[in-house]
Amino acid sequence: MRHFPTFFDLQDKPVAVIGGTAMALQRSRLLIAAGARVTVFARTLAPDLAELTLDGQIRWEAAQAEPADLAEYRLAFVATGDAEGDAIAAEQARRAGVAVNVVDRPELCDFIMPAIVERGAVTVGISTGGASPVLARNLRARIEAALPARLSELARFAASFRDKAKSLIAGAAERRRFWDAVLDGPVAEAVLAGREETARSLADELLADGAAARKGAVYIVGAGPGDPDLLTFRAHRLMQQADIVFHDELVGPEVLNYVRRDAERVYVGKIKSHHSKSQEQINELLAEHARAGKRVLRLKGGDPFVFGRGGEELDYLRRQGIETIVVPGITAALGCAASAGIPLTHRDHASSVTFLTGHTRDGELATDWRVLARPDQTLVVYMGLSNAASLAAKLLVAGLPRGTPVAIVERGTRPDQRVSTGALSDLKALAERHKDGGPALLIIGKVAALANADIQTFATSLKEAV
């Protein structure tokens, strides 16, 4: 390890920036964010850097920095934009006894700047020792994606409990178990979800009863329409933390590959005329494993609250007194339409969109078909493939034109996605093409003509529709 990693407290400390370039501006902004008192030494300033002087955020010395000028400063950052100027400025700083960093010149540096990931009080620095700044930036991007947006709130929350935990939990090992339970369980997830009052209540329970550290929780998580790249950051994090995962038919192996390898996996999928487990059995299983102290992940295709029975599971678990957190996912309507190139709303052709299910509890869709048959809207039908003929007939009777564009998107967002397009009068025949395929979504309305079509095809389809 050539460079020793450390963090300086620069709050209200004097720091020099030598140079008036765009890179000097970048360094100045970082230092201002750290609370430093920044002085820039330069004959001229880049426009945005000059604005910082006008705002009083930095002080400007329109002169070359001499050793006597730099003696009071804790650190010096050099960015003159000129190789000779950089070398001279670095030497002047060293003669003043000030540690120096020169932008893009590691051979002139006493210390180097890491790539930084910041979440408030939580700061991560990544360095390759100057070997590859681009690699450091790439690593930063990966870490940015992995760290929750509210991580700073979690750090602040933990700080607020430190004294209380120390006074109530005597041993270091017991305190460590308490903090493990706080930072890797329902308490942390409540903080990260913005539910601090719930988090405090759960943390107080942990303090009051050490056994409560083993208290479980259920996370009802939307897995999106199929492409694992469409998982949310939060869904991915919970998939890595779960002890047991209950997953649906619509959650494919590509998504399940992101689940922690040693987590138990239980299939509870439902397909037409065959349910591996009833909804009541699923509810009971979720509650049973949470009571056993496990982190239970209920992984559902799309979004759990859009035709996913997530609401029924949430209601049951809350009535059982089990901590339950819901994480939304990209619902199939949004994911499949985007993947097929279909805008669900369009300023010229669709001013509203309606989501329907092709299957209800009693098997009959009770709705006002005249409202659904309005021409300037988009209908998206989930689980409607087997009822496509009946759906088309009712819309035609209600007055929707026979030429209204329709699209069927099968296995939307996945590599084996299939899209069929046509007119409402052809919907029965189109559905036959997909009867032996995977899950499919019906999109009905003028915008469906955009699926995999050029603008001329779209214009022709619209004329036929009206």
Side-chain angles (χ1 to χ4, degrees), residues 325-466:
I325 294 176
V326 181
V327 178
I330 295 177
T331 188
L334 304 182
C336 295
S339 185
I342 302 173
L344 294 180
T345 62
H346 191 291
R347 188 168 60 174
D348 297 327
H349 309 297
S351 59
S352 63
V353 59
T354 299
F355 296 169
L356 306 170
T357 175
H359 291 282
T360 58
R361 189 184 293 271
D362 57 10
E364 184 65 29
L365 184 61
T367 186
D368 187 338
W369 291 96
R370 291 171 301 176
V371 173
L372 296 181
R374 292 180 306 192
D376 295 326
Q377 69 173 327
T378 303
L379 303 179
V380 181
V381 186
Y382 290 68
M383 301 169 287
L385 204 59
S386 61
N387 293 329
S390 172
L391 179 68
K394 290 177 180 178
L395 289 172
L396 289 169
V397 169
L400 199 60
R402 294 173 56 83
T404 299
V406 300
I408 298 177
V409 184
E410 178 188 321
R411 297 187 179 277
T413 77
R414 302 182 189 188
D416 56 349
Q417 171 179 297
R418 292 176 57 210
V419 180
S420 297
T421 58
L424 180 61
S425 57
D426 303 324
L427 185 57
K428 179 180 178 181
L430 289 175
E432 283 294 314
R433 299 181 192 174
H434 296 266
K435 67 178 182 179
D436 296 323
L441 199 74
L442 312 184
I443 301 177
I444 302 170
K446 295 176 183 178
V447 294
L450 273 176
N452 304 322
D454 58 27
I455 191 65
Q456 184 59 47
T457 303
F458 182 44
T460 302
S461 298
L462 285 178
K463 287 180 181 178
E464 293 174 353
V466 295

Side-chain angles (χ1 to χ4, degrees), residues 263-276:
E264 183 181 353
R265 303 179 187 188
V266 181
Y267 172 71
V268 291
K270 305 182 185 74
I271 57 177
K272 188 177 180 183
S273 303
H274 177 70
H275 292 185
S276 62

